[in-house]
Short mmCIF file of all heavy atoms in Angstrom, two decimals:
data_model
loop_
_atom_site.label_atom_id
_atom_site.label_comp_id
_atom_site.label_asym_id
_atom_site.label_seq_id
_atom_site.Cartn_x
_atom_site.Cartn_y
_atom_site.Cartn_z
N MET L 1 -228.96 -168.91 36.92
CA MET L 1 -228.60 -169.80 35.84
C MET L 1 -227.85 -171.01 36.41
O MET L 1 -226.98 -170.84 37.25
CB MET L 1 -227.69 -169.07 34.85
CG MET L 1 -228.41 -168.52 33.66
SD MET L 1 -227.32 -167.97 32.35
CE MET L 1 -226.66 -166.48 33.04
N PRO L 2 -228.17 -172.18 35.90
CA PRO L 2 -227.48 -173.38 36.38
C PRO L 2 -226.08 -173.52 35.79
O PRO L 2 -225.76 -172.97 34.74
CB PRO L 2 -228.38 -174.52 35.92
CG PRO L 2 -229.27 -173.96 34.88
CD PRO L 2 -229.30 -172.48 35.05
N THR L 3 -225.27 -174.29 36.49
CA THR L 3 -223.92 -174.60 36.05
C THR L 3 -223.91 -176.02 35.51
O THR L 3 -224.43 -176.93 36.14
CB THR L 3 -222.93 -174.49 37.22
OG1 THR L 3 -223.00 -173.17 37.74
CG2 THR L 3 -221.51 -174.79 36.78
N TYR L 4 -223.32 -176.20 34.33
CA TYR L 4 -223.23 -177.52 33.71
C TYR L 4 -221.77 -177.92 33.61
O TYR L 4 -220.91 -177.10 33.32
CB TYR L 4 -223.86 -177.49 32.31
CG TYR L 4 -225.34 -177.19 32.34
CD1 TYR L 4 -225.79 -175.89 32.16
CD2 TYR L 4 -226.26 -178.19 32.58
CE1 TYR L 4 -227.15 -175.60 32.19
CE2 TYR L 4 -227.61 -177.91 32.62
CZ TYR L 4 -228.05 -176.62 32.43
OH TYR L 4 -229.39 -176.34 32.48
N ALA L 5 -221.48 -179.20 33.88
CA ALA L 5 -220.12 -179.72 33.81
C ALA L 5 -219.93 -180.48 32.51
O ALA L 5 -220.83 -181.19 32.04
CB ALA L 5 -219.86 -180.64 34.99
N TYR L 6 -218.75 -180.29 31.91
CA TYR L 6 -218.40 -180.93 30.65
C TYR L 6 -217.01 -181.54 30.76
O TYR L 6 -216.20 -181.11 31.58
CB TYR L 6 -218.40 -179.91 29.51
CG TYR L 6 -219.73 -179.27 29.26
CD1 TYR L 6 -220.13 -178.14 29.97
CD2 TYR L 6 -220.59 -179.77 28.31
CE1 TYR L 6 -221.35 -177.55 29.74
CE2 TYR L 6 -221.83 -179.18 28.06
CZ TYR L 6 -222.19 -178.08 28.79
OH TYR L 6 -223.41 -177.49 28.57
N ARG L 7 -216.73 -182.51 29.89
CA ARG L 7 -215.40 -183.09 29.79
C ARG L 7 -215.00 -183.10 28.33
O ARG L 7 -215.77 -183.50 27.46
CB ARG L 7 -215.34 -184.50 30.34
CG ARG L 7 -213.94 -185.12 30.09
CD ARG L 7 -213.67 -186.29 30.91
NE ARG L 7 -213.73 -185.87 32.29
CZ ARG L 7 -213.57 -186.68 33.31
NH1 ARG L 7 -213.34 -187.93 33.12
NH2 ARG L 7 -213.66 -186.24 34.53
N CYS L 8 -213.77 -182.66 28.07
CA CYS L 8 -213.24 -182.67 26.72
C CYS L 8 -212.68 -184.06 26.42
O CYS L 8 -211.93 -184.61 27.22
CB CYS L 8 -212.13 -181.61 26.58
SG CYS L 8 -211.36 -181.60 24.94
N ARG L 9 -213.05 -184.62 25.29
CA ARG L 9 -212.57 -185.94 24.92
C ARG L 9 -211.16 -185.90 24.36
O ARG L 9 -210.49 -186.92 24.31
CB ARG L 9 -213.52 -186.58 23.91
CG ARG L 9 -214.86 -186.92 24.52
CD ARG L 9 -215.76 -187.58 23.51
NE ARG L 9 -217.04 -187.93 24.13
CZ ARG L 9 -218.12 -188.23 23.46
NH1 ARG L 9 -218.11 -188.23 22.14
NH2 ARG L 9 -219.22 -188.53 24.08
N GLU L 10 -210.71 -184.73 23.93
CA GLU L 10 -209.36 -184.62 23.35
C GLU L 10 -208.29 -184.41 24.41
O GLU L 10 -207.28 -185.09 24.42
CB GLU L 10 -209.33 -183.48 22.33
CG GLU L 10 -210.14 -183.80 21.08
CD GLU L 10 -210.02 -182.72 20.03
OE1 GLU L 10 -208.88 -182.29 19.75
OE2 GLU L 10 -211.06 -182.31 19.49
N CYS L 11 -208.52 -183.46 25.32
CA CYS L 11 -207.49 -183.17 26.33
C CYS L 11 -207.88 -183.67 27.72
O CYS L 11 -207.13 -183.50 28.67
CB CYS L 11 -207.18 -181.67 26.37
SG CYS L 11 -208.54 -180.63 26.94
N THR L 12 -209.04 -184.28 27.87
CA THR L 12 -209.59 -184.86 29.10
C THR L 12 -209.80 -183.84 30.22
O THR L 12 -209.98 -184.23 31.38
CB THR L 12 -208.75 -186.05 29.63
OG1 THR L 12 -207.48 -185.59 30.05
CG2 THR L 12 -208.61 -187.13 28.57
N GLU L 13 -209.80 -182.55 29.90
CA GLU L 13 -210.08 -181.53 30.91
C GLU L 13 -211.56 -181.54 31.25
O GLU L 13 -212.42 -181.75 30.40
CB GLU L 13 -209.71 -180.14 30.38
CG GLU L 13 -208.24 -179.83 30.43
CD GLU L 13 -207.70 -179.74 31.84
OE1 GLU L 13 -208.33 -179.10 32.70
OE2 GLU L 13 -206.64 -180.33 32.09
N THR L 14 -211.88 -181.30 32.52
CA THR L 14 -213.25 -181.12 32.97
C THR L 14 -213.44 -179.64 33.25
O THR L 14 -212.59 -179.00 33.86
CB THR L 14 -213.51 -181.94 34.24
OG1 THR L 14 -213.27 -183.32 33.95
CG2 THR L 14 -214.94 -181.78 34.73
N PHE L 15 -214.56 -179.09 32.78
CA PHE L 15 -214.82 -177.66 32.98
C PHE L 15 -216.31 -177.44 33.18
O PHE L 15 -217.12 -178.32 32.93
CB PHE L 15 -214.30 -176.85 31.78
CG PHE L 15 -214.93 -177.21 30.46
CD1 PHE L 15 -215.98 -176.46 29.95
CD2 PHE L 15 -214.48 -178.29 29.73
CE1 PHE L 15 -216.57 -176.78 28.74
CE2 PHE L 15 -215.06 -178.62 28.51
CZ PHE L 15 -216.11 -177.87 28.02
N GLU L 16 -216.65 -176.28 33.72
CA GLU L 16 -218.04 -175.93 33.98
C GLU L 16 -218.41 -174.67 33.22
O GLU L 16 -217.57 -173.79 33.01
CB GLU L 16 -218.26 -175.70 35.48
CG GLU L 16 -218.07 -176.95 36.30
CD GLU L 16 -218.30 -176.69 37.78
OE1 GLU L 16 -218.29 -175.53 38.21
OE2 GLU L 16 -218.51 -177.67 38.50
N LEU L 17 -219.68 -174.60 32.83
CA LEU L 17 -220.21 -173.41 32.16
C LEU L 17 -221.50 -173.00 32.84
O LEU L 17 -222.33 -173.85 33.16
CB LEU L 17 -220.49 -173.69 30.68
CG LEU L 17 -219.31 -173.91 29.76
CD1 LEU L 17 -219.81 -174.23 28.35
CD2 LEU L 17 -218.43 -172.68 29.71
N LEU L 18 -221.66 -171.72 33.02
CA LEU L 18 -222.89 -171.15 33.54
C LEU L 18 -223.70 -170.72 32.33
O LEU L 18 -223.27 -169.86 31.57
CB LEU L 18 -222.55 -169.94 34.42
CG LEU L 18 -223.66 -169.33 35.23
CD1 LEU L 18 -224.09 -170.31 36.32
CD2 LEU L 18 -223.17 -168.05 35.88
N ARG L 19 -224.84 -171.39 32.11
CA ARG L 19 -225.65 -171.07 30.93
C ARG L 19 -227.11 -171.30 31.23
O ARG L 19 -227.46 -172.07 32.13
CB ARG L 19 -225.19 -171.88 29.72
CG ARG L 19 -225.12 -173.34 29.95
CD ARG L 19 -224.63 -174.22 28.82
NE ARG L 19 -224.04 -173.61 27.69
CZ ARG L 19 -223.62 -174.24 26.62
NH1 ARG L 19 -223.72 -175.54 26.57
NH2 ARG L 19 -223.09 -173.62 25.61
N PRO L 20 -228.00 -170.65 30.49
CA PRO L 20 -229.44 -170.84 30.71
C PRO L 20 -229.87 -172.27 30.39
O PRO L 20 -229.24 -172.96 29.60
CB PRO L 20 -230.10 -169.86 29.75
CG PRO L 20 -229.03 -169.19 28.98
CD PRO L 20 -227.71 -169.70 29.43
N MET L 21 -230.96 -172.70 31.00
CA MET L 21 -231.47 -174.05 30.76
C MET L 21 -231.81 -174.26 29.29
O MET L 21 -231.68 -175.38 28.79
CB MET L 21 -232.71 -174.31 31.61
CG MET L 21 -232.44 -174.45 33.07
SD MET L 21 -233.99 -174.65 33.96
CE MET L 21 -233.53 -175.97 35.05
N SER L 22 -232.22 -173.22 28.61
CA SER L 22 -232.56 -173.36 27.19
C SER L 22 -231.35 -173.72 26.34
O SER L 22 -231.50 -174.21 25.23
CB SER L 22 -233.17 -172.05 26.68
OG SER L 22 -232.25 -170.98 26.80
N GLU L 23 -230.14 -173.52 26.86
CA GLU L 23 -228.91 -173.86 26.14
C GLU L 23 -228.22 -175.09 26.72
O GLU L 23 -227.07 -175.37 26.38
CB GLU L 23 -227.95 -172.68 26.16
CG GLU L 23 -228.45 -171.46 25.42
CD GLU L 23 -227.48 -170.30 25.50
OE1 GLU L 23 -226.28 -170.52 25.80
OE2 GLU L 23 -227.92 -169.17 25.26
N SER L 24 -228.90 -175.84 27.58
CA SER L 24 -228.26 -176.96 28.26
C SER L 24 -227.80 -178.05 27.30
O SER L 24 -226.83 -178.75 27.56
CB SER L 24 -229.20 -177.56 29.30
OG SER L 24 -230.31 -178.15 28.68
N GLY L 25 -228.48 -178.22 26.17
CA GLY L 25 -228.10 -179.25 25.21
C GLY L 25 -227.20 -178.76 24.10
O GLY L 25 -226.79 -179.55 23.24
N ALA L 26 -226.89 -177.47 24.10
CA ALA L 26 -226.05 -176.91 23.04
C ALA L 26 -224.61 -177.37 23.19
O ALA L 26 -224.14 -177.60 24.30
CB ALA L 26 -226.11 -175.38 23.09
N PRO L 27 -223.88 -177.53 22.09
CA PRO L 27 -222.47 -177.92 22.17
C PRO L 27 -221.65 -176.90 22.95
O PRO L 27 -221.97 -175.71 22.95
CB PRO L 27 -222.02 -177.96 20.71
CG PRO L 27 -223.26 -177.95 19.90
CD PRO L 27 -224.33 -177.34 20.73
N ALA L 28 -220.60 -177.37 23.61
CA ALA L 28 -219.74 -176.48 24.38
C ALA L 28 -218.29 -176.81 24.07
O ALA L 28 -217.87 -177.96 24.22
CB ALA L 28 -220.00 -176.66 25.88
N ALA L 29 -217.52 -175.84 23.64
CA ALA L 29 -216.09 -176.03 23.38
C ALA L 29 -215.34 -175.92 24.69
O ALA L 29 -215.70 -175.15 25.58
CB ALA L 29 -215.59 -174.98 22.40
N CYS L 30 -214.29 -176.71 24.84
CA CYS L 30 -213.49 -176.66 26.06
C CYS L 30 -212.64 -175.38 26.07
O CYS L 30 -212.47 -174.74 25.03
CB CYS L 30 -212.62 -177.91 26.19
SG CYS L 30 -211.02 -177.87 25.38
N PRO L 31 -212.10 -175.00 27.22
CA PRO L 31 -211.28 -173.79 27.30
C PRO L 31 -210.06 -173.81 26.37
O PRO L 31 -209.54 -172.77 25.99
CB PRO L 31 -210.84 -173.75 28.76
CG PRO L 31 -211.89 -174.50 29.49
CD PRO L 31 -212.34 -175.57 28.54
N GLU L 32 -209.61 -175.00 25.97
CA GLU L 32 -208.47 -175.13 25.05
C GLU L 32 -208.90 -175.01 23.60
O GLU L 32 -208.07 -175.06 22.70
CB GLU L 32 -207.76 -176.47 25.27
CG GLU L 32 -207.19 -176.64 26.67
CD GLU L 32 -206.07 -175.65 26.96
OE1 GLU L 32 -205.25 -175.39 26.06
OE2 GLU L 32 -206.04 -175.13 28.09
N GLY L 33 -210.23 -174.90 23.35
CA GLY L 33 -210.74 -174.73 21.99
C GLY L 33 -211.19 -176.00 21.29
O GLY L 33 -211.62 -175.95 20.15
N HIS L 34 -211.09 -177.14 21.96
CA HIS L 34 -211.53 -178.40 21.35
C HIS L 34 -213.06 -178.47 21.33
O HIS L 34 -213.71 -178.05 22.27
CB HIS L 34 -210.97 -179.60 22.11
CG HIS L 34 -209.49 -179.59 22.23
ND1 HIS L 34 -208.85 -179.68 23.44
CD2 HIS L 34 -208.52 -179.47 21.29
CE1 HIS L 34 -207.54 -179.65 23.24
NE2 HIS L 34 -207.33 -179.51 21.94
N ALA L 35 -213.61 -179.02 20.28
CA ALA L 35 -215.06 -179.08 20.14
C ALA L 35 -215.66 -180.41 20.58
O ALA L 35 -216.86 -180.50 20.79
CB ALA L 35 -215.45 -178.81 18.69
N ASP L 36 -214.85 -181.45 20.75
CA ASP L 36 -215.34 -182.78 21.09
C ASP L 36 -215.51 -182.90 22.60
O ASP L 36 -214.63 -183.38 23.31
CB ASP L 36 -214.39 -183.86 20.56
CG ASP L 36 -214.97 -185.25 20.69
OD1 ASP L 36 -216.18 -185.38 20.98
OD2 ASP L 36 -214.21 -186.21 20.49
N THR L 37 -216.66 -182.43 23.10
CA THR L 37 -216.92 -182.46 24.54
C THR L 37 -218.20 -183.23 24.82
O THR L 37 -219.04 -183.42 23.94
CB THR L 37 -217.06 -181.04 25.11
OG1 THR L 37 -218.14 -180.38 24.47
CG2 THR L 37 -215.78 -180.24 24.93
N VAL L 38 -218.36 -183.64 26.05
CA VAL L 38 -219.55 -184.36 26.48
C VAL L 38 -220.02 -183.73 27.80
O VAL L 38 -219.21 -183.38 28.66
CB VAL L 38 -219.28 -185.87 26.63
CG1 VAL L 38 -218.24 -186.17 27.67
CG2 VAL L 38 -220.55 -186.62 26.92
N LYS L 39 -221.35 -183.56 27.92
CA LYS L 39 -221.92 -183.02 29.15
C LYS L 39 -221.96 -184.13 30.20
O LYS L 39 -222.38 -185.25 29.91
CB LYS L 39 -223.33 -182.49 28.88
CG LYS L 39 -223.91 -181.73 30.06
CD LYS L 39 -225.15 -180.96 29.64
CE LYS L 39 -226.35 -181.69 30.11
NZ LYS L 39 -227.59 -180.98 29.85
N LEU L 40 -221.53 -183.81 31.41
CA LEU L 40 -221.49 -184.79 32.49
C LEU L 40 -222.76 -184.71 33.31
O LEU L 40 -223.36 -183.64 33.46
CB LEU L 40 -220.28 -184.52 33.39
CG LEU L 40 -218.92 -184.54 32.72
CD1 LEU L 40 -217.84 -184.15 33.73
CD2 LEU L 40 -218.63 -185.91 32.14
N LEU L 41 -223.16 -185.83 33.87
CA LEU L 41 -224.28 -185.84 34.79
C LEU L 41 -223.76 -185.45 36.17
O LEU L 41 -222.75 -185.99 36.64
CB LEU L 41 -224.90 -187.23 34.87
CG LEU L 41 -225.60 -187.72 33.61
CD1 LEU L 41 -226.09 -189.14 33.81
CD2 LEU L 41 -226.76 -186.82 33.26
N THR L 42 -224.42 -184.52 36.79
CA THR L 42 -224.02 -184.09 38.12
C THR L 42 -225.20 -184.23 39.06
O THR L 42 -226.35 -184.26 38.63
CB THR L 42 -223.52 -182.64 38.12
OG1 THR L 42 -224.55 -181.80 37.59
CG2 THR L 42 -222.27 -182.47 37.29
N THR L 43 -224.94 -184.29 40.34
CA THR L 43 -225.99 -184.38 41.33
C THR L 43 -225.96 -183.14 42.22
O THR L 43 -224.91 -182.53 42.42
CB THR L 43 -225.84 -185.63 42.22
OG1 THR L 43 -224.56 -185.58 42.86
CG2 THR L 43 -225.96 -186.89 41.41
N VAL L 44 -227.11 -182.79 42.71
CA VAL L 44 -227.23 -181.66 43.61
C VAL L 44 -227.79 -182.18 44.92
O VAL L 44 -228.81 -182.85 44.95
CB VAL L 44 -228.18 -180.59 43.02
CG1 VAL L 44 -228.37 -179.45 44.00
CG2 VAL L 44 -227.67 -180.09 41.69
N ALA L 45 -227.12 -181.87 46.01
CA ALA L 45 -227.59 -182.29 47.32
C ALA L 45 -228.36 -181.15 47.96
O ALA L 45 -227.82 -180.06 48.14
CB ALA L 45 -226.41 -182.69 48.20
N LEU L 46 -229.61 -181.38 48.26
CA LEU L 46 -230.42 -180.38 48.94
C LEU L 46 -230.58 -180.82 50.38
O LEU L 46 -231.08 -181.89 50.66
CB LEU L 46 -231.79 -180.26 48.26
CG LEU L 46 -231.76 -179.88 46.78
CD1 LEU L 46 -233.17 -179.91 46.21
CD2 LEU L 46 -231.14 -178.52 46.59
N THR L 47 -230.16 -179.96 51.28
CA THR L 47 -230.24 -180.30 52.71
C THR L 47 -231.05 -179.25 53.43
O THR L 47 -230.54 -178.23 53.86
CB THR L 47 -228.84 -180.41 53.34
OG1 THR L 47 -228.16 -179.18 53.12
CG2 THR L 47 -228.04 -181.55 52.74
N GLY L 48 -232.33 -179.47 53.53
CA GLY L 48 -233.19 -178.53 54.24
C GLY L 48 -233.55 -177.33 53.40
O GLY L 48 -233.08 -177.13 52.31
N ALA L 49 -234.40 -176.51 53.96
CA ALA L 49 -234.84 -175.30 53.28
C ALA L 49 -234.08 -174.11 53.85
O ALA L 49 -234.10 -173.87 55.04
CB ALA L 49 -236.34 -175.12 53.48
N ALA L 50 -233.43 -173.39 53.00
CA ALA L 50 -232.69 -172.21 53.44
C ALA L 50 -233.67 -171.13 53.87
O ALA L 50 -234.47 -170.65 53.09
CB ALA L 50 -231.80 -171.70 52.32
N GLY L 51 -233.61 -170.77 55.13
CA GLY L 51 -234.45 -169.70 55.63
C GLY L 51 -235.89 -170.10 55.87
O GLY L 51 -236.70 -169.29 56.27
N GLY L 52 -236.22 -171.34 55.65
CA GLY L 52 -237.59 -171.81 55.85
C GLY L 52 -237.84 -172.17 57.30
O GLY L 52 -236.93 -172.14 58.14
N PRO L 53 -239.06 -172.52 57.63
CA PRO L 53 -239.36 -172.89 59.01
C PRO L 53 -238.68 -174.20 59.38
O PRO L 53 -238.55 -175.10 58.57
CB PRO L 53 -240.88 -173.06 59.01
CG PRO L 53 -241.25 -173.31 57.58
CD PRO L 53 -240.21 -172.59 56.75
N ALA L 54 -238.24 -174.28 60.62
CA ALA L 54 -237.57 -175.48 61.12
C ALA L 54 -238.61 -176.53 61.46
O ALA L 54 -239.74 -176.22 61.83
CB ALA L 54 -236.75 -175.14 62.35
N ALA L 55 -238.23 -177.78 61.34
CA ALA L 55 -239.12 -178.88 61.70
C ALA L 55 -239.30 -178.90 63.21
O ALA L 55 -238.37 -178.61 63.97
CB ALA L 55 -238.51 -180.20 61.23
N PRO L 56 -240.49 -179.21 63.68
CA PRO L 56 -240.71 -179.23 65.12
C PRO L 56 -239.88 -180.32 65.78
O PRO L 56 -239.71 -181.40 65.23
CB PRO L 56 -242.21 -179.52 65.25
CG PRO L 56 -242.63 -180.11 63.94
CD PRO L 56 -241.67 -179.57 62.92
N ALA L 57 -239.36 -180.02 66.94
CA ALA L 57 -238.54 -180.98 67.69
C ALA L 57 -239.42 -181.86 68.55
O ALA L 57 -240.48 -181.46 69.00
CB ALA L 57 -237.53 -180.24 68.54
N GLY L 58 -238.95 -183.05 68.82
CA GLY L 58 -239.62 -183.94 69.75
C GLY L 58 -240.88 -184.57 69.19
O GLY L 58 -241.04 -184.70 67.99
N GLY L 59 -241.78 -184.95 70.07
CA GLY L 59 -243.05 -185.63 69.84
C GLY L 59 -243.58 -185.61 68.44
O GLY L 59 -243.09 -186.22 67.54
N GLY L 60 -244.56 -184.95 68.17
CA GLY L 60 -245.09 -184.89 66.84
C GLY L 60 -246.59 -184.98 66.84
O GLY L 60 -247.12 -185.45 66.15
N GLY L 61 -247.38 -184.70 67.62
CA GLY L 61 -248.82 -184.73 67.39
C GLY L 61 -249.42 -186.09 67.56
O GLY L 61 -248.79 -187.06 67.93
N GLY L 62 -250.68 -186.16 67.30
CA GLY L 62 -251.39 -187.40 67.55
C GLY L 62 -251.65 -187.52 69.05
O GLY L 62 -251.15 -186.76 69.85
N CYS L 63 -252.41 -188.47 69.41
CA CYS L 63 -252.80 -188.60 70.81
C CYS L 63 -251.61 -188.89 71.73
O CYS L 63 -251.44 -188.25 72.74
CB CYS L 63 -253.85 -189.71 70.96
SG CYS L 63 -254.45 -189.90 72.64
N CYS L 64 -250.78 -189.83 71.38
CA CYS L 64 -249.70 -190.22 72.26
C CYS L 64 -248.48 -189.31 72.15
O CYS L 64 -247.66 -189.27 73.05
CB CYS L 64 -249.29 -191.66 72.00
SG CYS L 64 -250.64 -192.81 72.36
N GLY L 65 -248.31 -188.59 71.05
CA GLY L 65 -247.15 -187.75 70.89
C GLY L 65 -247.40 -186.30 71.27
O GLY L 65 -246.47 -185.53 71.45
N GLY L 66 -248.65 -185.90 71.41
CA GLY L 66 -248.96 -184.51 71.67
C GLY L 66 -249.24 -184.19 73.11
O GLY L 66 -249.48 -183.06 73.47
N GLY L 67 -249.23 -185.18 73.96
CA GLY L 67 -249.46 -184.92 75.40
C GLY L 67 -250.90 -184.75 75.78
O GLY L 67 -251.21 -184.22 76.83
N CYS L 68 -251.83 -185.19 74.93
CA CYS L 68 -253.24 -185.01 75.26
C CYS L 68 -253.83 -186.21 75.97
O CYS L 68 -254.96 -186.18 76.43
CB CYS L 68 -254.05 -184.68 73.99
SG CYS L 68 -254.04 -185.99 72.76
N CYS L 69 -253.08 -187.31 76.06
CA CYS L 69 -253.59 -188.51 76.73
C CYS L 69 -253.32 -188.38 78.22
O CYS L 69 -252.27 -187.96 78.66
CB CYS L 69 -252.91 -189.76 76.21
SG CYS L 69 -253.22 -190.06 74.46
N GLY L 70 -254.25 -188.77 78.99
CA GLY L 70 -254.16 -188.61 80.43
C GLY L 70 -253.41 -189.63 81.09
O GLY L 70 -252.76 -189.84 81.94
#
């Protein structure tokens, strides 16, 4: 389940909720009980594939990069 960040307009607290994507647009009360909240835009940084194959090092294929040219 994704985590969504919210900010309360009354007490200015920022908080996160873990909820299904189907509830991403549903209202969220802040931990202090205030109902006037806004969902924040957040970014996710993806750096490589976890556990996936590593990119080949060096050259790279083709005639001049693969060592096939005499």
Side-chain angles (χ1 to χ4, degrees):
M1 262 191 287
T3 302
Y4 297 96
Y6 298 86
R7 175 163 299 178
C8 178
R9 291 182 179 164
E10 291 185 47
C11 66
T12 67
E13 281 294 314
T14 300
F15 60 98
E16 295 181 342
L17 291 178
L18 190 67
R19 54 182 10 183
M21 290 177 136
S22 61
E23 295 178 19
S24 67
C30 87
E32 299 295 320
H34 304 126
D36 189 11
T37 60
V38 62
K39 189 167 102 176
L40 302 176
L41 293 176
T42 56
T43 58
V44 177
L46 301 175
T47 56
C63 183
C64 297
C68 63
C69 298

